[in-house]
Amino acid sequence: PSEDIPLLPGSPRRLSPRAVVRGGQDPNHGQQYLRVPGSQAPGQDSGLPSGGGSSCSGSVINNYLDASEPVSSEARLSRMHFHDNQRKVDYVLAYHYRKRGVHPGQGSPGHSLAIVSNGETGKEPRAGGHGDIELGPLDALEEERKEQREEFEHNLMEAGLELEKDLENKSQGSIFVRIHAPWQVLAREAEFLKIKVPTKKEMYEIKSEGSIAKKFNELLQKLSSPLKPRVPEHSSNKMKNLSYPFSREKMYLYNIQDKDTFFDNATRSRIVHEILKRTACSRANNTMGINSLIANNIYEAAYPLHDGEYDSPGDDMNDRKLLYQEWARYGVFYKFQPIDLIRKYFGEKIGLYFAWLGLYTSFLIPSSVIGVIVFLYGCATIEEDIPSKEMCDQQNAFTMCPLCDKSCDYWNLSSACGTAKASHLFDNPATVFFSIFMALWATMFLENWKRLQMRLGYFWDLTGIEEEEERAQEHSRPEYETKVREKMLKASGKSVVQKLGTNMTENEDEDDEDKLTWKDRFPGYLVNFASILFMIALTFSIVFGVIVYRITTAAALSLNKTTRSNVRVTVTATAVIINLVVILILDEIYGAVATWLTKIEVPKTEQTFEERLILKAFLLKFVNAYSPIFYVAFFKGRFVGRPGSYVYVFDGYRMEECAPGGCLMELCIQLSIIMLGKQLIQNNIFEIGVPKLKKLFRKLKDETEPRETDSAHSKHPEQWDLDYSLEPYTGLTPEYMEMIIQFGFVTLFVASFPLAPVFALLNNVIEVRLDAKKFVTELRRPDAVRTKDIGIWFDILSGIGKFSVISNAFVIAVTSDFIPRLVYQYAYSHNGTLHGFVNHTLSFFNVSQLKEGTQPENSQFDQEVQFKDYREPPWAPNPYEFSKQYWSILSARLAFVIIFQNLVMFLSVLVDWMIPDIPTDISDQIKKEKGLLVDFFLKEEHEKLKLSDEPGQRSLGGGRHSRSRAPSSAPSGRSQPGSIASSGSQHTNV
């Protein structure tokens, strides 16, 4: 006698009929069977297919390949396929298992795996058979997780997916469930997701109007050809495929030459991920989707496979290896990014990030050039600057008030000559022009990004994906579902499963009650509000602490004669380094706090979670990074008081004041050290060092842990093993955040540091390749996600751009000497020059009016001395009150802020209006493409009718189309579509 054993199509190995069974379904559901002879090992039962109906609580059946028969090397030519070397692995689920009382049988512990097919049933294996495994009693939790996994995998197979998994033949270890989507499932889901694929029509050219523009573009193409990466052009700037959403009823529209390669790997994994997200598991409290199962530790990881190894020897090429060679190496830093290949491999969301980063980096080139010119202008005119000359001239005896009480002596203003000259490098009329330029630069950058975004959206077929984004909003996060179940459990005495089971039969009005209302979220909102206020207060208190450090250290160093001369430099440098260290530490803390606060809110969808997390993290990191800079720019030296009436902190410590050359130089030092230190340490050393340390730690952990290894497998690891050892992908938020903070450094205080764009450009050249290398070599392959824009980041960029206009206006008006010089030159100067400006900014003070105990100990000076402020002299009717010059300069400063802000805003709006959001050629082509699509449809329908009139061709075509339109089983579980991922439908042979 012989039994029928279900066999997957294309399996090259004879299946042993030993099976582990908990349930199954009718085996006659389109399965292939292999006739297995009845002569089996003594005492061994064969797995008989049962004809019963599907059991809801039934688990997956594992048909083990005979462990005594090694898999031939011929069957393992590809590490990207099942062990039959035919079916491609589209997705991998990984979990860790643990057994008790395991006693391996006589079978070899070597290469063992299990093939899982649809609807298999059998009996429990008996101990003692050849290759059998005796399972010890598992603990309750492990047993429960095992049953949940089996049910979930059973539901996946009901959805039409094919699975292959390893054999649990060790005491503990990691098991990989490989998933393959056959053509019927791919076609069904592509139609459901409305994935756009190329039609039979050949690529058509997008014509650009205007001969001058055309010739200019051709010239640019020739000049930039050495900078282009050597990758196949998937979507040239001038050529495009005519795409149409996939439909099984219109298979004749598409050029389907090979069903295995019609959908590329990213699209296949996206389709499988959609099924995984909507497949339910009733044993896990009716949990919906793989994300919930991972959150409950039922599975450990779920990821699509990389396209092979990036550093494999030989000439065989894959997209990952091509990306590594032409994009992810520092040696190709001068080349353009292969954006289309990045999009094809990683999906639209990551493709848009690198496109945005590339545009931002290229826009930094003109701003860097202008910034260097402004800096060189300051260097060139330093000897012609009249205020600096007057300050450095020792013949001008400007005797100044002591800088501290008792220990400090009177001093001559000429001793601050170096500071005055250094200030001129950044405080000159060219910085005003540069501030206006950078405000317009920010507007032009955002407008050009909108145009590039529209262009990429057209070429990547992202137009009209609003419906897909709405479907993504329907999928709830696992934490939200858990909170809803807890709420339902509290509301009634029923169990969670019973409550959810009865809830499915209730109407929509009752469904609305099973949601989190504002009352449920109010405690979370309260904690969020209080925590954010506390964190901002903590940041301000640390800034105040650094101020106290500067004041006390300056007072302490002033007591010693040897350190007195370098007090200002020492205090400034050490305080800035302390600020940098605190910023780096708080950045990491605030990132974790923002994540925790967002989880407390329990947002419903992933998109809502991401947006709220971004806003919280940006607010905290913005305050953290810029609060020390805001203090130096707008508050330092404003609350000092005057000689004889100084403002003191903690009884005896005078508030710090700006250097004689102004606070702008110190602002420049503060900004440059924080910006450069943050980029060098956080963005580069952390990004390079931390992953290497994690990798080293995992390697040491693997070496120290005792484990049962397979020597043959360790020499030739599978692709899913290699990918499992990589770091999981956690999103683009950290990458965007560091660039947004850098964008703030470049725009908000550019009036004080014109070289900021240069350092940002140098950092970004490295950053692009660093991020590229991380995505290609160090991270698991992310799920391809379709999106038409960069989301909330654009609004943040726009907000920073507008805020930068105000901040630069105040830096020029309040922090720099630009307005006082302008007012003096045109209102008070006798000859219209700046001669006498330094004396104009100083006021007199009678030293006899110093408070008792604050006079210099080593000097007796009875004459009037001077201090930097606009006040009445001691012989005036209102001594030491603010003079008329002070009020005229204050009004000029406020007027400048208003004029500057409105002028720049008007120019920004003008630039915004002049540059259309949608390029003209793209808007015209979108209209033309509709006409081309109609003509193509009519032509194909006409040819189809002609073929149907010819009997011979009709039967041939009918056979082909009937196979293409073969009916497939419906998706299991409740259909709840999730977010839509990438559809790189064109397969390129490299």
Side-chain angles (χ1 to χ4, degrees):
S2 62
E3 290 89 11
D4 289 338
I5 304 295
L7 179 68
L8 282 181
S11 177
R13 311 297 300 159
R14 178 172 59 82
L15 296 181
S16 169
R18 293 185 293 275
V20 178
V21 181
R22 281 184 174 79
Q25 70 176 45
D26 186 359
N28 300 319
H29 184 65
Q31 294 296 322
Q32 296 181 8
Y33 291 85
L34 178 66
R35 304 292 295 179
V36 179
S39 56
Q40 301 291 342
Q44 177 181 329
D45 289 343
S46 299
L48 295 171
S50 62
S54 175
S55 172
C56 292
S57 61
S59 65
V60 174
I61 309 303
N62 297 345
N63 280 337
Y64 302 146
L65 282 189
D66 197 339
S68 63
E69 299 181 27
V71 178
S72 64
S73 59
E74 182 183 352
R76 299 306 301 129
L77 293 176
S78 171
R79 302 287 173 184
M80 301 284 298
H81 291 72
F82 279 9
H83 282 77
D84 59 15
N85 207 31
Q86 295 179 19
R87 285 164 294 169
K88 189 180 293 183
V89 177
D90 297 318
Y91 219 86
V92 176
L93 306 180
Y95 64 88
H96 191 83
Y97 74 94
R98 177 169 49 88
K99 291 183 179 180
R100 291 181 182 176
V102 177
H103 303 287
Q106 298 175 359
S108 168
H111 197 103
S112 301
L113 59 136
I115 299 286
V116 180
S117 168
N118 294 352
E120 301 174 10
T121 60
K123 296 182 179 179
E124 291 284 348
R126 295 186 181 179
H130 180 66
D132 282 342
I133 292 178
E134 295 181 3
L135 297 179
L138 296 172
D139 56 45
L141 180 61
E142 193 67 29
E143 180 68 23
E144 183 183 0
R145 287 177 179 171
K146 183 178 181 181
E147 291 176 353
Q148 290 169 0
R149 284 194 294 265
E150 288 173 346
E151 187 205 349
F152 184 72
E153 290 163 14
H154 178 79
N155 291 339
L156 290 179
M157 291 189 299
E158 282 190 340
L161 299 176
E162 295 175 357
L163 277 61
E164 178 188 73
K165 66 189 296 187
D166 298 325
L167 185 64
E168 298 180 4
N169 63 343
K170 299 173 186 175
S171 59
Q172 64 176 354
S174 297
I175 292 293
F176 299 98
V177 181
R178 277 87 67 188
I179 302 175
H180 167 75
W183 171 257
Q184 290 84 356
V185 175
L186 293 173
R188 179 191 74 212
E189 296 296 323
E191 183 174 1
F192 170 67
L193 297 172
K194 298 181 180 177
I195 294 176
K196 287 187 176 181
V197 293
T199 57
K200 286 182 182 177
K201 184 174 177 62
E202 296 179 356
M203 297 179 75
Y204 60 92
E205 184 179 1
I206 297 177
K207 297 179 181 179
S208 57
E209 297 179 2
S211 58
I212 298 176
K214 188 176 181 181
K215 289 180 180 178
F216 182 70
N217 286 331
E218 289 176 356
L219 179 63
L220 279 180
Q221 293 291 328
K222 289 179 181 179
L223 292 175
S224 62
S225 57
L227 304 178
K228 292 182 179 178
R230 292 174 295 177
V231 298
E233 290 293 332
H234 299 296
S235 59
S236 170
N237 288 333
K238 296 298 176 185
M239 303 296 291
K240 186 182 184 299
N241 268 310
L242 190 63
S243 301
Y244 185 73
F246 187 85
S247 172
R248 287 175 291 179
E249 298 299 322
K250 297 183 174 65
M251 298 285 279
Y252 55 88
L253 295 176
Y254 316 110
N255 188 19
I256 305 176
Q257 297 178 354
D258 185 356
K259 290 181 179 179
D260 289 337
T261 57
F262 181 70
F263 295 108
D264 64 11
N265 291 345
T267 307
R268 293 175 69 100
S269 63
R270 170 193 164 197
I271 288 173
V272 175
H273 187 238
E274 288 296 327
I275 297 174
L276 288 171
K277 283 199 299 184
R278 69 164 186 252
T279 302
C281 181
S282 60
R283 287 181 180 270
N285 294 329
N286 214 44
T287 300
M288 181 67 69
I290 186 64
N291 293 334
S292 300
L293 295 177
I294 291 175
N296 294 326
N297 297 318
I298 297 166
Y299 286 98
E300 194 174 348
Y303 53 91
L305 288 182
H306 277 293
D307 289 359
E309 298 182 50
Y310 66 89
D311 55 354
S312 59
D315 297 331
D316 57 318
M317 189 62 70
N318 57 62
D319 284 348
R320 187 188 188 193
K321 192 173 182 179
L322 190 60
L323 281 171
Y324 177 73
Q325 292 181 354
E326 294 295 323
W327 178 53
R329 293 187 301 116
Y330 294 114
V332 293
F333 72 93
Y334 61 91
K335 289 188 177 182
F336 296 131
Q337 298 184 89
I339 293 298
D340 292 315
L341 186 60
I342 297 168
R343 171 254 179 178
K344 179 186 173 223
Y345 192 81
F346 292 111
E348 281 79 359
K349 189 171 186 178
I350 294 175
L352 283 175
Y353 163 71
F354 282 104
W356 174 84
L357 182 58
L359 183 70
Y360 171 48
T361 304
S362 62
F363 256 74
L364 284 172
I365 296 173
S367 60
S368 299
V369 172
I370 302 296
V372 170
I373 292 172
V374 169
F375 179 74
L376 292 177
Y377 170 80
C379 295
T381 57
I382 194 168
E383 297 298 331
E384 301 172 8
D385 183 46
I386 296 173
S388 299
K389 282 184 179 179
E390 289 184 350
M391 195 177 289
C392 294
D393 188 2
Q394 295 185 0
Q395 294 180 358
N396 295 328
F398 297 123
T399 306
M400 307 296 293
C401 287
L403 295 174
C404 64
D405 295 341
K406 289 187 180 180
S407 56
C408 295
D409 204 350
Y410 303 104
W411 57 286
N412 199 301
L413 189 60
S414 61
S415 62
C417 175
T419 309
K421 287 188 173 181
S423 296
H424 177 73
L425 297 176
F426 305 100
D427 188 3
N428 56 68
T431 56
V432 180
F433 156 76
F434 190 54
S435 299
I436 298 173
F437 169 79
M438 286 303 293
L440 298 179
W441 172 88
T443 304
M444 290 188 68
F445 164 62
L446 293 176
E447 288 302 309
N448 275 273
W449 168 244
K450 283 194 280 189
R451 289 170 61 84
L452 178 59
Q453 199 168 246
M454 286 299 301
R455 186 176 293 276
L456 292 176
Y458 171 67
F459 281 107
W460 294 352
D461 292 317
L462 296 177
T463 52
I465 66 166
E466 289 80 7
E467 185 181 344
E468 298 177 11
E469 292 177 341
E470 288 175 7
R471 283 205 301 269
Q473 290 291 328
E474 297 173 9
H475 189 72
S476 301
R477 295 176 63 250
E479 293 80 0
Y480 181 84
E481 292 179 351
T482 304
K483 284 290 183 184
V484 171
R485 281 198 299 272
E486 290 176 359
K487 178 185 176 183
M488 294 162 64
L489 188 59
K490 289 178 183 177
S492 67
K494 300 179 181 180
S495 67
V496 179
V497 178
Q498 288 173 331
K499 181 65 179 175
L500 282 174
T502 55
N503 187 53
M504 289 180 184
T505 61
E506 294 173 359
N507 57 30
E508 293 182 1
D509 294 336
E510 291 171 341
D511 272 344
D512 290 339
E513 297 175 1
D514 302 326
K515 296 178 181 177
L516 295 183
T517 61
W518 69 270
K519 292 181 181 178
D520 301 316
R521 289 196 171 102
F522 183 73
Y525 290 150
L526 198 62
V527 171
N528 266 264
F529 182 72
S531 300
I532 290 173
L533 283 182
F534 172 76
M535 293 296 169
I536 293 174
L538 175 66
T539 305
F540 289 157
S541 63
I542 290 173
V543 172
F544 181 72
V546 175
I547 295 169
V548 172
Y549 161 80
R550 294 159 70 117
I551 294 171
T552 53
T553 307
L557 292 176
S558 298
L559 298 175
N560 193 332
K561 291 183 179 180
T562 57
T563 58
R564 194 175 297 165
S565 57
N566 298 319
V567 168
R568 196 177 294 277
V569 176
T570 306
V571 170
T572 301
T574 54
V576 171
I577 292 171
I578 291 172
N579 272 326
L580 175 62
V581 173
V582 169
I583 286 171
L584 294 176
I585 294 171
L586 287 183
D587 249 5
E588 301 301 317
I589 295 173
Y590 286 168
V593 168
T595 305
W596 175 70
L597 291 176
T598 312
K599 287 179 179 177
I600 288 178
E601 281 189 48
V602 199
K604 184 176 181 180
T605 64
E606 286 293 341
Q607 184 176 345
T608 310
F609 179 88
E610 187 178 12
E611 288 179 353
R612 294 184 182 182
L613 173 62
I614 289 168
L615 284 175
K616 289 183 186 65
F618 174 72
L619 175 63
L620 293 174
K621 293 190 176 189
F622 181 91
V623 173
N624 181 41
Y626 299 127
S627 52
I629 300 170
F630 269 96
Y631 163 72
V632 174
F634 304 123
F635 298 102
K636 185 178 179 181
R638 313 291 167 196
F639 311 103
V640 180
R642 62 169 180 83
S645 181
Y646 284 116
V647 176
Y648 288 88
V649 180
F650 301 129
D651 269 348
Y653 294 105
R654 270 166 52 179
M655 275 294 289
E656 58 178 348
E657 50 189 308
C658 292
C663 270
L664 198 71
M665 187 60 200
E666 190 172 337
L667 175 62
C668 173
I669 295 170
Q670 183 104 0
L671 185 67
S672 59
I673 291 179
I674 290 178
M675 179 182 176
L676 294 177
K678 200 171 186 300
Q679 288 185 163
L680 182 65
I681 297 172
Q682 190 177 44
N683 297 1
N684 293 324
I685 293 179
F686 280 10
E687 285 194 24
I688 296 171
V690 171
K692 288 189 180 298
L693 288 174
K694 286 183 179 179
K695 194 174 182 180
L696 180 64
F697 178 74
R698 282 200 309 270
K699 187 178 179 182
L700 293 173
K701 186 179 178 183
D702 292 341
E703 290 175 355
T704 54
E705 283 185 355
R707 48 175 23 186
E708 306 161 40
T709 58
D710 176 9
S711 58
H713 183 261
S714 60
K715 288 180 183 177
H716 303 286
E718 303 286 358
Q719 187 63 45
W720 45 87
D721 286 306
L722 296 172
D723 287 4
Y724 181 68
S725 64
L726 299 176
E727 284 290 311
Y729 167 73
T730 55
L732 287 169
T733 301
E735 272 69 32
Y736 271 117
M737 187 65 73
E738 65 185 62
M739 288 296 105
I740 297 294
I741 296 295
Q742 184 203 81
F743 183 78
F745 281 122
V746 169
T747 55
L748 290 176
F749 300 99
V750 75
S752 64
F753 190 41
L755 296 178
V758 179
F759 292 111
L761 175 63
L762 296 175
N763 174 80
N764 286 10
V765 169
I766 301 171
E767 182 71 25
V768 171
R769 307 302 160 178
L770 187 65
D771 284 347
K773 189 175 182 181
K774 182 169 68 174
F775 273 89
V776 173
T777 66
E778 296 173 2
L779 295 180
R780 292 176 193 157
R781 188 172 184 173
D783 291 306
V785 178
R786 276 170 68 84
T787 183
K788 62 180 180 179
D789 51 36
I790 60 174
I792 197 172
W793 295 112
F794 183 84
D795 299 325
I796 293 175
L797 283 167
S798 181
I800 291 177
K802 290 179 173 59
F803 186 61
S804 68
V805 177
I806 302 170
S807 66
N808 280 303
F810 275 97
V811 166
I812 295 169
V814 177
T815 314
S816 75
D817 280 340
F818 177 73
I819 298 300
R821 291 183 183 190
L822 214 61
V823 171
Y824 174 79
Q825 186 173 358
Y826 293 103
Y828 296 101
S829 176
H830 299 293
N831 52 6
T833 64
L834 287 175
H835 287 287
F837 172 73
V838 173
N839 190 42
H840 177 75
T841 61
L842 301 177
S843 300
F844 285 97
F845 179 73
N846 191 341
V847 295
S848 63
Q849 297 178 0
L850 285 172
K851 285 186 178 180
E852 189 67 29
T854 62
Q855 298 94 339
E857 295 175 343
N858 303 321
S859 177
Q860 299 296 325
F861 198 76
D862 296 332
Q863 300 177 10
E864 281 86 5
V865 294
Q866 292 173 295
F867 63 98
K868 190 170 183 180
D869 206 348
Y870 293 95
R871 291 182 181 268
E872 297 287 349
W875 54 82
N878 299 313
Y880 308 126
E881 293 291 328
F882 287 118
S883 62
K884 292 180 181 179
Q885 290 92 333
Y886 171 83
W887 296 111
S888 60
I889 289 171
L890 180 63
S891 58
R893 282 173 165 163
L894 295 176
F896 175 82
V897 169
I898 295 170
I899 294 171
F900 182 89
Q901 179 182 334
N902 285 280
L903 174 65
V904 175
M905 288 290 187
F906 169 75
L907 292 175
S908 299
V909 171
L910 186 64
V911 170
D912 190 355
W913 174 76
M914 290 175 65
I915 302 175
D917 292 348
I918 305 176
T920 309
D921 57 338
I922 296 298
S923 58
D924 293 342
Q925 199 61 37
I926 290 173
K927 298 172 185 175
K928 291 178 183 177
E929 191 174 276
K930 295 178 181 178
L932 287 171
L933 202 57
V934 171
D935 294 341
F936 174 67
F937 275 8
L938 293 174
K939 180 182 175 183
E940 289 296 322
E941 288 286 347
H942 183 65
E943 289 183 2
K944 184 185 177 186
L945 289 174
K946 283 177 65 178
L947 285 173
S948 64
D949 293 338
E950 301 175 11
Q953 293 184 356
R954 179 177 55 206
S955 60
L956 180 62
R960 184 183 67 226
H961 292 310
S962 63
R963 283 195 303 271
S964 301
R965 295 193 299 268
S968 57
S969 56
S972 68
R974 206 169 49 196
S975 176
Q976 187 166 337
S979 63
I980 303 304
S982 165
S983 67
S985 52
Q986 182 177 353
H987 182 78
T988 304
N989 295 318
V990 180

